[in-house]
């Protein structure tokens, strides 16, 4: 029986991957402490305490299937909640994004899911593949979760979309702060992520189709895309490198408030996005080594990338690269550049 396995061992993710039909229809049950568990579909599970303390927390992982460390962190948290190892004080929704991509150890099967939110899944060709269908399902799950919280008087929303990067980074753990449409950046959020071991932040300069921007823009959630290190296969992560984020997320779920360090601008690296460089032609290429880490900077006028008829050059002193990937689909982002700034 799946419920017995869930209660005894907490193997929600394993069952979602191995026997997804078990969750073809929603399942709801109560834990011994009165917490209501709602399984919406494979990889989508929420916990509502009998007396929630006011926060609606969304933790997503596996939007890219080969980014395994965040998946393992969230799987451990779900197991702990299901088996009674600890209890939730706040409502929390866990989303394990791209289950088929996890099974083949790839970033995605047909299409990059983290370019399919804010309705992008249904534009262009529409819901023509599993990633597009799943992106819509994840959006719907977030929308329903936050709306249900509103009905019972919850007063705070956050969403941390957890990833690892394709390549190494000079700053191992960093977070992308979605565009705020004129709203202020929150130092308290930087403090929270610093407690997670994240010391580098990118301030977005426009709307995107990422999952974190969806929650931020549509629901006013404090939301971030959080990069926790470099991609590794399941079972090959040094989980000691993720102890801070695991303990801080556990505190977020299980405590009324998280004790945070004071805001110290000297301990943080803050960048603003300067250029978004898209691949528009087949011959697009990057003009630096394949193993150049994120946040490598180049001199003024250095040609970072080129394709037929155009060169993309360094525009400002200290401008550095983030998320370079020349193999993206035509029309998608192949490179961000960032320059130092402050809040």
């Amino acid at each position: 029986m799946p419920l017995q396995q869930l209660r005894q061992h907490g193997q929600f993710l394993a069952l979602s991957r191995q026997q997804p039909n078990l969750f073809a229809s929603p399942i709801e049950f109560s834990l011994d402490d009165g917490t209501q568990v709602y399984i919406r579909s494979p990889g989508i599970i929420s916990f509502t305490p009998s007396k929630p303390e006011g926060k609606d927390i969304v933790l997503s992982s596996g939007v890219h299937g080969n980014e395994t460390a965040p998946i393992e962190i969230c799987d451990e948290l779900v197991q702990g909640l299901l088996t009674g190892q600890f209890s939730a004080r706040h409502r929390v929704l866990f989303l394990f994004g791209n289950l088929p991509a996890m099974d083949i150890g790839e970033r995605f099967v047909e299409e990059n899911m983290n370019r399919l939110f804010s309705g992008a899944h249904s534009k262009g060709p529409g819901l023509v593949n599993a990633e597009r269908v799943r992106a819509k399902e994840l959006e719907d799950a977030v929308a329903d979760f936050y709306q249900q919280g509103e009905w019972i008087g919850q007063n705070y929303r956050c969403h941390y979309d957890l990833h690892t990067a394709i390549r190494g980074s000079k700053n191992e753990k960093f977070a992308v702060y979605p565009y705020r449409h004129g709203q202020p950046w929150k130092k308290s959020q930087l403090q929270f992520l610093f407690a997670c071991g994240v010391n580098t932040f990118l301030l977005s300069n426009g709307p995107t189709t990422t999952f974190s921007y969806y929650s931020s823009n549509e629901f006013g959630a404090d939301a971030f895309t959080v990069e926790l290190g470099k991609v590794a296969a399941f079972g090959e992560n040094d989980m000691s490198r993720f102890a801070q984020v695991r303990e801080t997320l556990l505190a977020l779920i299980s405590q009324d408030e998280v004790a945070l360090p004071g805001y110290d601008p000297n301990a943080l690296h803050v960048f603003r996005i300067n250029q978004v460089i898209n691949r528009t032609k087949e011959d697009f290429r990057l003009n630096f080594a394949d193993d150049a880490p994120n946040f490598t900077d180049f001199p003024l006028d250095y040609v970072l990338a080129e394709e037929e008829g155009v060169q993309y050059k360094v525009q400002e002193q200290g401008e550095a690269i983030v998320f370079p990937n020349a193999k993206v689909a035509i029309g998608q982002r192949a490179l961000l550049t960032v320059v130092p700034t402050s809040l």
Side-chain angles (χ1 to χ4, degrees), residues 39-54:
I39 299 173
R40 182 186 180 104
S41 65
I44 301 179
I45 186 171
S46 64
F47 298 84
T48 298
S50 57
K51 295 181 180 179
E53 293 292 336

Side-chain angles (χ1 to χ4, degrees), residues 82-251:
L82 286 170
T83 59
Q85 182 180 344
F86 50 83
S87 296
R89 297 297 296 272
H90 307 274
R91 297 178 73 241
V92 57
L93 170 66
F94 289 90
L95 303 166
F96 297 94
N98 198 332
L99 301 175
M102 293 179 204
D103 294 338
I104 62 173
E106 297 290 344
R107 187 171 170 84
F108 52 84
V109 178
E110 294 185 62
E111 191 170 0
N112 181 356
M113 190 185 291
N114 210 27
R115 299 293 176 272
L116 294 175
F117 294 99
S118 294
H121 47 71
S122 297
K123 296 177 182 176
L127 299 171
V128 296
N129 60 45
E131 266 102 1
R132 286 177 170 249
V133 171
R134 182 63 165 179
K136 184 179 185 306
E137 184 178 20
L138 296 176
E139 279 190 359
D140 291 345
V142 170
D144 289 349
F145 179 73
Y146 283 144
Q147 287 164 3
Q148 289 162 5
E150 186 175 332
W151 295 336
I152 62 173
Q154 298 289 94
N155 55 24
Y156 176 78
R157 296 168 174 171
C158 62
H159 177 188
Y160 302 104
D161 184 33
L162 308 177
H163 291 255
T164 50
I166 295 172
R167 63 178 64 206
S169 175
K170 288 187 174 182
N171 306 322
E172 183 184 52
K173 296 179 175 66
F174 61 97
V176 181
Y177 204 155
Y179 184 55
R180 298 274 292 159
H181 293 274
Q183 296 297 310
W185 312 104
K186 293 185 178 181
K187 291 181 179 179
S188 60
Q189 282 297 298
L190 273 59
Q191 290 171 261
F192 173 79
L193 288 166
F194 185 67
C196 291
V198 177
N199 70 346
T200 301
F201 301 89
L202 312 186
L203 308 181
S204 295
N205 60 356
T208 65
T209 51
T210 62
F211 202 6
S212 61
Y213 175 77
Y214 168 75
S215 294
S216 174
N217 186 56
E218 295 292 331
F219 302 102
D222 286 331
F224 289 81
T225 303
V226 185
E227 302 284 348
L228 295 176
K230 190 176 179 181
V231 164
F234 281 113
E236 295 183 6
N237 294 293
D238 177 0
M239 296 309 289
S240 68
R241 302 182 73 87
F242 307 98
Q244 277 183 271
V245 67
R246 189 260 183 201
E247 292 305 313
T248 306
L249 292 177
L250 174 57

